[in-house]
Amino acid sequence: MNNTKAYSAASATSPLASTKIQRRDPTAHDVQIEILFCGICHSDVHQVRNEWSGVMPTVYPIVPGHEIVGRVTKVGPAVTHYKPGDLAAVGCMVDADCTCPECHAGFEQFCPNMTLTFNSPDKHLGGVTYGGYSDSIVVNEHFVLRVPAHLNLAGTAPLLCAGITTYSPMRRRGVAKGKKTGVVGLGGLGHMGVKFAHALGAHVVVFTTSPSKKEDALRLGADEVVVSRNADEMQKHAGSFDFILDAVSASHDINAYLNLLRRDGNLTLVGAPEKHLEVSAFSLLMGRRNLSGSLIGGIRETQEMLDFCGKHNITADVEVIPIQKVNEAYTRLLKSDVKYRFSIDMASLKSE
Ligand code: NAP
Ligand code: ZN
């Protein structure tokens, strides 16, 4: 067992603070990774504050973080794909049974025995898993991803959640040249969605509540930007979208976006607000529109996404912070005040 430095929250209302946690010694198929950068996902904030209590109640203390990039320090004797010194990444999952139909189909995220990177029963040590706001992590090699060597590491960490969560539905729904694609909410997920939709050749329209993000949205690859509080601007796009990705973290009117879909168009929800969203039947009946959800992506597709990013030189736009600023970062995230992902430089944890 290894003592590892980490940041944890003791309750839904406590700030994150320095602590020590245990990591297992690598077993035969495990990879031990020194964490270099970890992104801050809004899901970290939802779970630290126990906002998803109905679906996955938070167990305290919680060590969040599932956008992890680091360097391999040790491998178990049966590990074949990684060696000490390699760059490696870990996303939202650290284990699954790898035998069920979902796992066989490459959808480990839907395996009934999947283990999330944090706040999930830990099959090895008991208690719950601890995430990436820490010095190191030990993960079964199947759940370790390869990082394209030339990408900026701080900007690569967010690809492990914000990246795959937006890439997966866009590929599945055929976002491509000639397809009008909307992205709602220009946060960590949304800005990755814009980059992917642009790289895939779609006509991209960003919907934002923040007029100050207009210029950035265009720079990130949007062809048009709509300030969603402006009803006239919204109305101009009625019935015209093939696909809309909704990446909003808070309550909002989803019908306003369903009404922008053309016949048979699809709106995929990836945002996971605390409260239920209300859907009007007529938003779906008219134009027989489709409403879907999407949850991260499987391991194979996550590697495909990282390779796509390597080929197209795509990383997240990040504000790099020391771990000591994590509570401030959470407050700012709640005000939509980040361009466009916080990435924690984990070297800062060494001074704790
Ligand atoms: P984020 O960086 O905080 O971005 C959320 C964006 O939503 C904000 O930047 C803002 O964009 C918009 N927004 C915030 N409050 C709003 C409100 N009251 N009304 C309308 N728009 C609002 O969050 P994130 O990390 O991208 O995560 C987004 C959501 O996806 C979270 O709920 C997260 O838990 C969820 N998530 C889901 C998955 C999955 O697998 N499905 C994976 C990761 C995260 P503008 O300023 O442009 O309006
Ligand atoms: Zn996430």
Side-chain angles (χ1 to χ4, degrees):
M1 294 263 266
N2 296 295
N3 245 335
T4 301
K5 289 180 182 177
Y7 256 55
S8 73
S11 79
T13 50
S14 314
L16 290 143
S18 180
T19 188
K20 288 248 171 70
I21 56 168
Q22 296 286 320
R23 297 289 193 195
R24 64 181 183 268
D25 291 321
T27 63
H29 290 278
D30 281 341
V31 177
Q32 184 186 59
I33 298 165
E34 178 199 4
I35 300 175
L36 299 175
F37 291 95
C38 184
I40 298 181
C41 178
H42 208 114
S43 304
D44 300 352
V45 181
H46 287 307
Q47 288 191 80
V48 162
R49 295 156 59 106
N50 201 16
E51 289 176 354
W52 295 344
S53 56
V55 188
M56 44 175 97
T58 303
V59 177
Y60 295 96
I62 177 174
V63 177
H66 58 205
E67 296 185 334
I68 298 167
V69 165
R71 205 168 276 288
V72 175
T73 45
K74 207 174 180 184
V75 297
V79 169
T80 52
H81 290 97
Y82 296 92
K83 58 178 191 320
D86 286 352
L87 285 175
V90 178
C92 300
M93 303 179 282
V94 290
D95 200 12
D97 59 31
C98 296
T99 57
C100 74
E102 297 291 7
C103 285
H104 279 303
F107 301 128
E108 295 90 344
Q109 74 271 36
F110 302 123
C111 167
N113 298 305
M114 184 267 284
T115 304
L116 290 165
T117 305
F118 65 88
N119 196 42
S120 212
D122 186 330
K123 288 173 195 161
H124 296 266
L125 298 181
V128 291
T129 49
Y130 294 132
Y133 297 7
S134 61
D135 266 348
S136 69
I137 192 163
V138 177
V139 180
N140 179 296
E141 93 171 302
H142 180 74
F143 294 86
V144 179
L145 285 308
R146 215 162 255 299
V147 176
H150 62 285
L151 293 182
N152 169 277
L153 289 184
T156 297
L159 301 179
L160 277 298
C161 177
I164 183 60
T165 302
T166 51
Y167 178 87
S168 179
M170 285 193 169
R171 292 314 297 258
R172 193 162 61 254
R173 297 286 166 190
V175 168
K177 195 170 163 41
K179 299 285 178 181
K180 189 171 172 186
T181 297
V183 175
V184 188
L186 198 63
L189 266 60
H191 97 291
M192 288 311 308
V194 173
K195 290 189 183 204
F196 286 133
H198 177 71
L200 293 167
H203 181 88
V204 190
V205 183
V206 165
F207 296 92
T208 179
T209 58
S210 311
S212 63
K213 293 181 183 171
K214 228 172 163 170
E215 289 304 312
D216 276 339
L218 296 170
R219 176 181 58 77
L220 291 165
D223 297 288
E224 299 177 62
V225 186
V226 173
V227 175
S228 51
R229 300 202 201 278
N230 183 328
D232 290 342
E233 269 193 69
M234 293 286 283
Q235 188 52 36
K236 278 189 208 147
H237 291 273
S240 67
F241 281 87
D242 296 284
F243 174 77
I244 298 177
L245 185 82
D246 183 331
V248 174
S249 54
S251 298
H252 61 290
D253 180 16
I254 192 175
N255 301 290
Y257 297 101
L258 287 168
N259 292 335
L260 303 187
L261 293 174
R262 62 158 179 75
R263 174 172 54 76
D264 291 329
N266 175 276
L267 185 149
T268 295
L269 198 60
V270 287
E274 178 181 8
K275 302 214 169 70
H276 292 179
L277 296 170
E278 248 182 53
V279 179
S280 148
F282 283 95
S283 302
L284 297 175
L285 303 185
M286 304 307 283
R288 59 181 192 198
R289 302 173 182 123
N290 300 280
L291 171 60
S292 309
S294 196
L295 183 74
I296 49 173
I299 292 298
R300 195 163 55 217
E301 195 178 31
T302 305
Q303 189 62 61
E304 178 193 308
M305 178 274 311
L306 284 168
D307 296 342
F308 181 92
C309 289
K311 191 168 158 209
H312 294 267
N313 230 339
I314 293 175
T315 52
D317 283 27
V318 288
E319 182 176 337
V320 177
I321 57 161
I323 188 82
Q324 291 77 9
K325 291 230 163 140
V326 69
N327 293 302
E328 199 182 302
Y330 274 31
T331 307
R332 285 182 50 198
L333 198 59
L334 290 167
K335 292 190 276 190
S336 304
D337 173 23
V338 54
K339 293 185 170 175
Y340 279 87
R341 198 60 143 185
F342 290 112
S343 186
I344 307 169
D345 181 350
M346 233 20 101
S348 58
L349 193 53
K350 295 197 194 311
S351 63
E352 290 283 338

